Amino acid sequence: MHPAFYPDGPRLLADIGGTNARFALERAPGQLSAVRTLACAAYPRFEDAVSAYLASVGIAVQHAAIAIANPVDGDAVRMTNHHWAFSTAGAAHELGLETLLVVNDFTALAMSLPGLMPADLVKVGGGAARPAAAIGLVGAGTGLGVSGLVPNGAGGWTPLQSEGGHVAFSPADEREVAVLRHCWERYSHVSAERLVSGPGLALIREALAARRGLVFETLEPAGIVARGLAGDDALCLETLECFAGMLGTVAANLAVTLGARGGIYIGGGVVPRLGEWFARSPFRARFEHKGRFSDFTAAIPTLLITAPCPALLGAGRMLGDHLGDHLGERAGAHALAAAPAPMPVTREREHAHC
């Protein structure tokens, strides 16, 4: 049965990273349309990008949920990996929105996980996920996102609002120690995000070249991926291998921290670009190399998210929870608990629909 359309019109959803902002309209629960991606650098302000999208689709909206790559705590939002900064209340007023919900992007992505279907995932090793067990989420893009879901005891889930990408980088072999030492020449604190991210690919390659005394041309992350996968650039291939191993360490650390027997999900924009190579990369071997807890991590499945817009779906669910509607569930999805209130702004209306 097709879910009912929202009686007060489509809702605006956005997934905003340090590089791109993806927008969509949600006309009914889980029903996205007009999905478009805008480059963040093309717009001076967050409000300008939203206005440009709404002008392009020619539709006015009353309610919006924004999943953003940034901590969300209070009215003021200042992005970590981009220059946008805005007041949630001010943006709602300028854009004419009755509701503007701003949430962390990986919290929104976590909220989408129980509703993903087998076709939305690629399993990379491990056994079966244990029902009603904690779930971990990690993803490399412009930054390194970390979140998860914890069972709430009532058949639902509580999402974690985490900034785990900023934990200190943990080297696992001599090569990674050399990479860390190279980074210490520039940074007093080297986070996992500094290396396990799109920009981190360039930094890893630079460090590996310095270790081997090589002179090299500067490449963007996409170029490193393309050359490494082509197999004719040893330095780029070593960079990808090093990156995959580092991501395996991050994922394993998250697994033992959360006791994530429900699986570790991998999002972000970098890993999907690695294609089939990722399954035979050092990632899974590193994930299972956990000393006394190797048997523990070996049993946990790691699942690559291939769905095109999962964070948008999660943001839509969080907005629906906030507005108090329950117009439909995706077939086969587990019920999700309402997320902790993430500083919404709702303005009074004369004729409320929700």
Side-chain angles (χ1 to χ4, degrees), residues 215-235:
V215 177
F216 66 98
E217 61 178 314
T218 300
L219 289 177
E220 294 297 317
I224 296 171
V225 171
R227 289 195 185 187
L229 295 181
D232 54 4
D233 187 316
L235 181 60

mmCIF file of all heavy atoms in Angstrom, residues 215-235:
data_model
loop_
_atom_site.group_PDB
_atom_site.id
_atom_site.type_symbol
_atom_site.label_atom_id
_atom_site.label_comp_id
_atom_site.label_asym_id
_atom_site.label_seq_id
_atom_site.Cartn_x
_atom_site.Cartn_y
_atom_site.Cartn_z
ATOM 1 N N VAL A 215 60.014 11.940 -4.699
ATOM 2 C CA VAL A 215 59.468 13.209 -5.170
ATOM 3 C C VAL A 215 58.202 12.871 -5.943
ATOM 4 O O VAL A 215 58.205 11.995 -6.813
ATOM 5 C CB VAL A 215 60.470 13.950 -6.083
ATOM 6 C CG1 VAL A 215 59.838 15.224 -6.617
ATOM 7 C CG2 VAL A 215 61.759 14.251 -5.321
ATOM 8 N N PHE A 216 57.102 13.543 -5.660
ATOM 9 C CA PHE A 216 55.830 13.162 -6.271
ATOM 10 C C PHE A 216 55.008 14.391 -6.594
ATOM 11 O O PHE A 216 55.183 15.457 -5.995
ATOM 12 C CB PHE A 216 55.040 12.244 -5.334
ATOM 13 C CG PHE A 216 54.587 12.939 -4.063
ATOM 14 C CD1 PHE A 216 53.304 13.439 -3.945
ATOM 15 C CD2 PHE A 216 55.460 13.102 -2.987
ATOM 16 C CE1 PHE A 216 52.892 14.081 -2.793
ATOM 17 C CE2 PHE A 216 55.051 13.734 -1.823
ATOM 18 C CZ PHE A 216 53.763 14.227 -1.733
ATOM 19 N N GLU A 217 54.088 14.250 -7.546
ATOM 20 C CA GLU A 217 53.151 15.312 -7.871
ATOM 21 C C GLU A 217 51.967 15.261 -6.912
ATOM 22 O O GLU A 217 51.597 14.192 -6.421
ATOM 23 C CB GLU A 217 52.659 15.157 -9.305
ATOM 24 C CG GLU A 217 51.914 13.858 -9.573
ATOM 25 C CD GLU A 217 51.402 13.757 -10.983
ATOM 26 O OE1 GLU A 217 50.829 14.748 -11.449
ATOM 27 O OE2 GLU A 217 51.569 12.689 -11.614
ATOM 28 N N THR A 218 51.375 16.400 -6.669
ATOM 29 C CA THR A 218 50.208 16.468 -5.801
ATOM 30 C C THR A 218 48.987 15.949 -6.546
ATOM 31 O O THR A 218 48.764 16.291 -7.708
ATOM 32 C CB THR A 218 49.952 17.912 -5.344
ATOM 33 O OG1 THR A 218 51.101 18.384 -4.631
ATOM 34 C CG2 THR A 218 48.731 17.987 -4.439
ATOM 35 N N LEU A 219 48.202 15.118 -5.879
ATOM 36 C CA LEU A 219 46.983 14.576 -6.462
ATOM 37 C C LEU A 219 45.807 14.812 -5.529
ATOM 38 O O LEU A 219 45.952 14.764 -4.309
ATOM 39 C CB LEU A 219 47.117 13.070 -6.712
ATOM 40 C CG LEU A 219 48.036 12.597 -7.835
ATOM 41 C CD1 LEU A 219 48.074 11.072 -7.854
ATOM 42 C CD2 LEU A 219 47.563 13.131 -9.181
ATOM 43 N N GLU A 220 44.640 15.042 -6.114
ATOM 44 C CA GLU A 220 43.416 15.103 -5.337
ATOM 45 C C GLU A 220 43.020 13.665 -4.942
ATOM 46 O O GLU A 220 43.449 12.697 -5.585
ATOM 47 C CB GLU A 220 42.293 15.745 -6.157
ATOM 48 C CG GLU A 220 42.532 17.206 -6.476
ATOM 49 C CD GLU A 220 42.585 18.057 -5.216
ATOM 50 O OE1 GLU A 220 41.729 17.842 -4.325
ATOM 51 O OE2 GLU A 220 43.472 18.917 -5.121
ATOM 52 N N PRO A 221 42.186 13.513 -3.913
ATOM 53 C CA PRO A 221 41.786 12.170 -3.490
ATOM 54 C C PRO A 221 41.216 11.313 -4.617
ATOM 55 O O PRO A 221 41.522 10.113 -4.704
ATOM 56 C CB PRO A 221 40.735 12.450 -2.408
ATOM 57 C CG PRO A 221 41.168 13.757 -1.821
ATOM 58 C CD PRO A 221 41.696 14.553 -2.974
ATOM 59 N N ALA A 222 40.406 11.908 -5.490
ATOM 60 C CA ALA A 222 39.828 11.123 -6.588
ATOM 61 C C ALA A 222 40.906 10.578 -7.503
ATOM 62 O O ALA A 222 40.803 9.446 -8.006
ATOM 63 C CB ALA A 222 38.842 11.982 -7.383
ATOM 64 N N GLY A 223 41.954 11.366 -7.735
ATOM 65 C CA GLY A 223 43.054 10.905 -8.568
ATOM 66 C C GLY A 223 43.839 9.783 -7.913
ATOM 67 O O GLY A 223 44.284 8.840 -8.585
ATOM 68 N N ILE A 224 44.000 9.865 -6.586
ATOM 69 C CA ILE A 224 44.699 8.802 -5.856
ATOM 70 C C ILE A 224 43.922 7.502 -5.970
ATOM 71 O O ILE A 224 44.486 6.430 -6.220
ATOM 72 C CB ILE A 224 44.887 9.203 -4.384
ATOM 73 C CG1 ILE A 224 45.808 10.431 -4.282
ATOM 74 C CG2 ILE A 224 45.455 8.043 -3.572
ATOM 75 C CD1 ILE A 224 45.887 11.033 -2.893
ATOM 76 N N VAL A 225 42.598 7.578 -5.795
ATOM 77 C CA VAL A 225 41.761 6.379 -5.912
ATOM 78 C C VAL A 225 41.856 5.797 -7.316
ATOM 79 O O VAL A 225 42.051 4.586 -7.494
ATOM 80 C CB VAL A 225 40.297 6.710 -5.554
ATOM 81 C CG1 VAL A 225 39.385 5.539 -5.888
ATOM 82 C CG2 VAL A 225 40.175 7.065 -4.071
ATOM 83 N N ALA A 226 41.726 6.645 -8.329
ATOM 84 C CA ALA A 226 41.742 6.157 -9.711
ATOM 85 C C ALA A 226 43.074 5.490 -10.053
ATOM 86 O O ALA A 226 43.106 4.389 -10.631
ATOM 87 C CB ALA A 226 41.464 7.316 -10.671
ATOM 88 N N ARG A 227 44.179 6.104 -9.681
ATOM 89 C CA ARG A 227 45.490 5.536 -10.001
ATOM 90 C C ARG A 227 45.767 4.277 -9.183
ATOM 91 O O ARG A 227 46.344 3.318 -9.683
ATOM 92 C CB ARG A 227 46.578 6.577 -9.748
ATOM 93 C CG ARG A 227 46.592 7.725 -10.739
ATOM 94 C CD ARG A 227 47.899 8.490 -10.627
ATOM 95 N NE ARG A 227 47.919 9.658 -11.473
ATOM 96 C CZ ARG A 227 49.007 10.431 -11.664
ATOM 97 N NH1 ARG A 227 50.132 10.123 -11.017
ATOM 98 N NH2 ARG A 227 48.961 11.480 -12.457
ATOM 99 N N GLY A 228 45.351 4.294 -7.936
ATOM 100 C CA GLY A 228 45.578 3.117 -7.101
ATOM 101 C C GLY A 228 44.808 1.908 -7.600
ATOM 102 O O GLY A 228 45.348 0.798 -7.663
ATOM 103 N N LEU A 229 43.559 2.111 -7.996
ATOM 104 C CA LEU A 229 42.745 1.002 -8.479
ATOM 105 C C LEU A 229 43.203 0.520 -9.847
ATOM 106 O O LEU A 229 43.032 -0.660 -10.187
ATOM 107 C CB LEU A 229 41.269 1.406 -8.531
ATOM 108 C CG LEU A 229 40.601 1.709 -7.185
ATOM 109 C CD1 LEU A 229 39.145 2.071 -7.395
ATOM 110 C CD2 LEU A 229 40.728 0.534 -6.227
ATOM 111 N N ALA A 230 43.783 1.432 -10.635
ATOM 112 C CA ALA A 230 44.280 1.032 -11.953
ATOM 113 C C ALA A 230 45.471 0.095 -11.833
ATOM 114 O O ALA A 230 45.777 -0.664 -12.769
ATOM 115 C CB ALA A 230 44.651 2.269 -12.766
ATOM 116 N N GLY A 231 46.178 0.151 -10.706
ATOM 117 C CA GLY A 231 47.271 -0.776 -10.441
ATOM 118 C C GLY A 231 48.604 -0.401 -11.046
ATOM 119 O O GLY A 231 49.566 -1.185 -10.949
ATOM 120 N N ASP A 232 48.709 0.772 -11.659
ATOM 121 C CA ASP A 232 49.971 1.160 -12.302
ATOM 122 C C ASP A 232 50.691 2.273 -11.549
ATOM 123 O O ASP A 232 51.633 2.868 -12.064
ATOM 124 C CB ASP A 232 49.729 1.583 -13.754
ATOM 125 C CG ASP A 232 48.672 2.683 -13.887
ATOM 126 O OD1 ASP A 232 48.183 3.159 -12.836
ATOM 127 O OD2 ASP A 232 48.339 3.052 -15.025
ATOM 128 N N ASP A 233 50.241 2.562 -10.321
ATOM 129 C CA ASP A 233 50.889 3.581 -9.498
ATOM 130 C C ASP A 233 51.074 2.971 -8.109
ATOM 131 O O ASP A 233 50.140 2.899 -7.310
ATOM 132 C CB ASP A 233 50.035 4.842 -9.431
ATOM 133 C CG ASP A 233 50.737 6.009 -8.733
ATOM 134 O OD1 ASP A 233 51.354 5.783 -7.672
ATOM 135 O OD2 ASP A 233 50.665 7.145 -9.238
ATOM 136 N N ALA A 234 52.287 2.524 -7.825
ATOM 137 C CA ALA A 234 52.548 1.802 -6.578
ATOM 138 C C ALA A 234 52.291 2.666 -5.355
ATOM 139 O O ALA A 234 51.796 2.176 -4.339
ATOM 140 C CB ALA A 234 53.985 1.282 -6.573
ATOM 141 N N LEU A 235 52.633 3.951 -5.436
ATOM 142 C CA LEU A 235 52.441 4.828 -4.281
ATOM 143 C C LEU A 235 50.961 5.020 -3.988
ATOM 144 O O LEU A 235 50.543 4.989 -2.825
ATOM 145 C CB LEU A 235 53.119 6.175 -4.528
ATOM 146 C CG LEU A 235 53.027 7.192 -3.378
ATOM 147 C CD1 LEU A 235 53.674 6.643 -2.108
ATOM 148 C CD2 LEU A 235 53.676 8.514 -3.794
#
